[in-house]
């Protein structure tokens, strides 16, 4: 089982009302929630650890998890409200405004961490949950507790406007990235985190800080994997983009599913270096799945049959 650790929220997506007025419609989402759903749709045993509200939006999130077969028995339930993310689209690119004070997700704390993760082969961390406290510190504690026993993948999915204390955020990420097996960043995230420079040099510099494998996505230009002095590029399929909501989350799921398919979701295998064929197949599954998602409105990841 792959346990996804991080936010579940409601994306308020721009829609037109019946009379043509501008409005917003609620859709279950959040980077980590999307990754868990995408994994399950690709046939991988997936779970979600998050702070989950018992309000009407929390019930809606629960319904979607149940419908897609994502386990959420480890989630910390409470009556605090669900986080809302209002989305604006410019040429298909998503920008977010988060309403997150005192929510079920944000107020997750160390006392809520699951004690028994025996069923989990891998833990995935990411999203806005790594940027706000107290939940960010709780996820950090879980990440630092488990790296000897499970594969750790991190996608910070950095939202600069959401980060109140950049220095504290960078320090938290540095501690987590140091124990990670796989790190995925967009090219924009990489430059925000590591500074100006050429992507290959920045990615190589990040490898030196602990991760065994670094994946850098560049939108329509595809993804490049960096490890131990090597690199491998896989182009993105050409599709008509509706919007980019959930694209990176779906890529993460596709990549992890590809490793699981090959029986290579294993710490020692990743540390020693994945076979090029296995790595390429996982990258291609990630990019193919993400291409389907960007061709649809909202975060609506594909099932296996959609990729045939």
């Amino acid at each position: 089982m792959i346990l996804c650790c991080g936010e579940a929220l409601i994306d308020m997506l721009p829609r037109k009302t019946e009379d043509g007025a501008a409005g917003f419609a609620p859709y279950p989402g959040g980077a980590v929630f999307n990754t868990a759903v995408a994994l399950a749709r690709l046939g991988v045993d997936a779970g979600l650890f998050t702070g989950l509200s018992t309000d009407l939006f929390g019930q809606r999130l629960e319904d979607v998890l149940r419908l897609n077969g994502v386990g959420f028995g480890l989630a910390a339930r409470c009556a605090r409200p669900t986080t809302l993310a209002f989305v604006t689209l410019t040429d298909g690119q998503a920008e977010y405004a988060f309403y997150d004070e005192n929510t079920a997700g944000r107020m997750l704390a160390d006392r809520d961490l699951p004690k028994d993760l025996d069923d989990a082969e891998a833990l995935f961390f990411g999203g806005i949950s790594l940027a706000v406290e107290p939940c960010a510190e709780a996820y950090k504690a879980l990440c630092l507790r488990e790296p000897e026993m499970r594969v750790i993948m991190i996608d910070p999915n950095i939202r600069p406007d959401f980060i109140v204390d950049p220095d504290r955020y960078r320090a938290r990420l540095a501690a987590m990235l140091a124990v990670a097996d796989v790190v995925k960043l967009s090219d924009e995230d990489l430059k925000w985190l590591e500074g100006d420079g050429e992507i290959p040099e920045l990615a190589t510099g990040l490898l030196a800080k602990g991760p065994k494998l670094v994946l850098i996505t560049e939108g329509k230009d595809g993804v490049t994997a960096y490890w131990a002095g090597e690199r491998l590029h896989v182009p993105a399929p050409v599709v008509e983009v509706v919007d980019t909501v959930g694209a990176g989350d779906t890529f993460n799921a596709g990549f992890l599913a590809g490793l699981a398919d090959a029986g290579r979701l294993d710490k020692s295998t990743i540390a020693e270096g994945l076979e090029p064929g296995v790595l390429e197949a996982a990258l291609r599954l990630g990019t193919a799945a993400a291409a389907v998602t960007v061709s649809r409105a909202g975060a609506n990841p594909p099932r296996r049959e959609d990729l045939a």
Side-chain angles (χ1 to χ4, degrees), residues 196-212:
D196 293 332
E198 296 299 318
I199 288 175
E201 286 71 29
L202 295 177
T204 301
L206 187 59
L207 274 174
K209 297 179 180 180
K212 306 303 185 294

Side-chain angles (χ1 to χ4, degrees), residues 15-308:
R15 296 289 184 265
K16 293 290 186 180
T17 64
E18 290 184 0
D19 60 1
F24 290 89
Y27 288 83
V32 178
F33 176 94
N34 292 338
T35 296
V37 170
L39 278 166
R41 289 188 180 184
L42 291 173
V44 177
D45 185 8
L48 178 67
F49 170 63
T50 189
L52 190 61
S53 176
T54 55
D55 68 8
L56 64 94
F57 288 131
Q59 291 294 326
R60 187 162 184 175
L61 289 164
E62 181 180 321
D63 290 344
V64 172
L65 293 170
R66 186 177 292 107
L67 178 66
N68 286 280
V70 177
F72 56 95
L74 295 176
R77 306 302 299 273
C78 73
R80 295 188 183 95
T82 298
T83 298
L84 302 181
F86 283 80
V87 183
T88 56
L89 300 172
T90 303
D91 297 327
Q93 300 296 312
E95 296 182 359
Y96 298 82
F98 294 97
Y99 292 79
D100 190 47
E101 292 294 330
N102 296 310
T103 61
R106 182 166 186 166
M107 300 309 292
L108 185 88
D110 286 4
R111 63 179 177 275
D112 301 312
L113 296 180
K115 293 180 174 57
D116 183 1
L117 296 179
D118 287 347
D119 291 337
E121 295 176 89
L123 302 181
F124 172 82
F125 296 90
I128 65 167
S129 293
L130 302 185
V132 292
E133 298 180 23
C135 67
E137 288 298 303
Y139 289 120
K140 173 187 169 184
L142 182 60
C143 178
L144 299 185
R145 192 186 85 186
E146 297 292 330
E148 298 301 318
M149 295 171 282
R150 302 170 222 291
V151 172
I152 303 290
M153 179 173 177
I154 300 172
D155 174 10
N157 201 6
I158 298 169
R159 306 293 183 197
D161 293 343
F162 195 63
I163 298 168
V164 175
D165 187 339
D167 291 339
R168 188 170 174 84
Y169 175 69
R170 290 175 191 275
R172 181 183 303 116
L173 273 189
M176 296 178 70
L177 297 181
V179 301
D181 300 288
V182 182
V183 174
K184 197 283 301 258
L185 295 159
S186 70
D187 52 345
E188 292 179 348
D189 288 349
L190 178 65
K191 291 183 176 181
W192 188 93
L193 192 61
E194 295 294 298
D196 293 332
E198 296 299 318
I199 288 175
E201 286 71 29
L202 295 177
T204 301
L206 187 59
L207 274 174
K209 297 179 180 180
K212 306 303 185 294
L213 179 65
V214 171
L215 312 177
I216 305 299
T217 57
E218 298 181 74
K220 62 181 178 59
D221 293 325
V223 58
T224 305
Y226 297 85
W227 76 100
E230 303 289 337
R231 75 176 72 168
L232 175 64
H233 178 75
V234 169
V238 178
V239 296
E240 183 176 345
V241 176
V242 174
D243 67 50
T244 60
V245 178
D249 313 326
T250 304
F251 170 84
N252 295 332
F255 179 77
L256 286 169
L259 295 189
D261 288 349
R264 293 295 186 269
L265 193 59
D266 173 82
K267 291 187 72 69
S268 61
T269 302
I270 296 172
E272 293 166 5
L274 294 163
E275 303 97 313
V278 170
L279 178 58
E280 181 175 356
L283 294 172
R284 289 193 181 280
L285 181 56
T287 56
V292 174
T293 296
V294 301
S295 70
R296 300 170 171 178
N300 184 8
R303 300 183 184 278
R304 286 279 182 167
E305 54 266 30
D306 299 324
L307 302 176

